[in-house]
Amino acid sequence: MPLGLITRAGRILTARLLLGDPIDGLTHCAIGDGDATFTDPLNPPAPEIDQTSLRHERARKRYYKRTFLKEDPEGVLRVNGIRYLETTEQTQTIGVFFRFEEHEANGITIREYGFFGGAVTYADGHQDALALDGVHHPDTNPTGQVQNPGYLYELKHIPDFTKTSDTRVELVGVIKV
């Protein structure tokens, strides 16, 4: 499976952070079920560098942990074939951890996910770390719980994975600088 794609919006987020803008880095992960271009469950279409959102976002969650990582052949965390250990030592690698619990987003066929940062906000009155139904728009998506999606940093399209009631999904964004 190919690695995720850092989008143009993700590169702008990185540049803003390097300039010292007072915005958040990676804070949210969104999962979606794609759109009509996802015709082959085992061979999803390639993500596009100019995408600013998922093709069909279904659920979004705030991170539960951010930490430094270091490569270690005995590490318990494995991402893209590389093993990592969490460390308190400052390194050039950061892990941002997201967890969709068993009862969250059940029944979604996950075909895409993305990591977002920079001023992500939920609709007024929404109190939970989980937001459903994508980005709110009064006419086209009045049930959406995300008010401002922020910057789409990294995007990945994956073969179909259906989340069922006995499945917890954990995703980790690994950033090497």
Side-chain angles (χ1 to χ4, degrees):
M1 195 169 4
L3 300 175
L5 173 71
I6 307 297
T7 66
R8 284 194 210 290
R11 294 168 193 204
I12 291 169
L13 174 63
T14 302
R16 289 189 64 188
L17 289 167
L18 289 171
L19 283 174
D21 279 3
I23 58 172
D24 290 327
L26 293 189
T27 57
H28 291 78
C29 177
I31 56 176
D33 56 10
D35 62 9
T37 63
F38 286 73
T39 57
D40 182 348
L42 298 178
N43 295 300
E48 297 173 10
I49 196 162
D50 289 321
Q51 279 186 249
T52 57
S53 63
L54 299 186
R55 296 202 178 160
H56 189 235
E57 182 174 325
R58 297 285 308 277
R60 182 184 291 234
K61 187 107 182 242
R62 185 168 178 78
Y63 72 89
Y64 72 89
K65 177 172 58 173
R66 293 192 285 193
T67 186
F68 287 107
L69 301 174
K70 67 178 179 180
E71 289 186 29
D72 187 308
E74 303 299 316
V76 294
L77 175 63
R78 185 177 178 154
V79 178
N80 295 325
I82 300 171
R83 291 185 177 272
Y84 297 96
L85 284 176
E86 294 180 38
T87 180
T88 56
E89 170 189 341
Q90 293 182 6
T91 68
Q92 297 179 71
T93 307
I94 300 168
V96 186
F97 295 74
F98 304 91
R99 177 183 299 139
F100 292 87
E101 298 294 346
E102 291 179 15
H103 64 283
E104 298 172 334
N106 285 333
I108 295 174
T109 299
I110 301 171
R111 295 184 179 115
E112 58 180 344
Y113 68 86
F115 300 116
F116 290 80
V120 173
T121 58
Y122 292 169
D124 290 343
H126 188 84
Q127 302 297 321
D128 194 10
L130 174 73
L132 300 175
D133 298 327
V135 179
H136 172 80
H137 185 279
D139 299 322
T140 60
N141 191 18
T143 62
Q145 295 179 336
V146 176
Q147 190 66 42
N148 177 4
Y151 290 89
L152 174 58
Y153 176 77
E154 182 178 7
L155 174 66
K156 189 167 188 178
H157 294 167
I158 59 175
D160 284 9
F161 168 70
T162 301
K163 186 173 179 338
T164 62
S165 61
D166 293 334
T167 307
R168 178 169 74 185
V169 176
E170 299 227 17
L171 297 164
V172 179
V174 174
I175 304 159
K176 293 183 180 184
V177 267

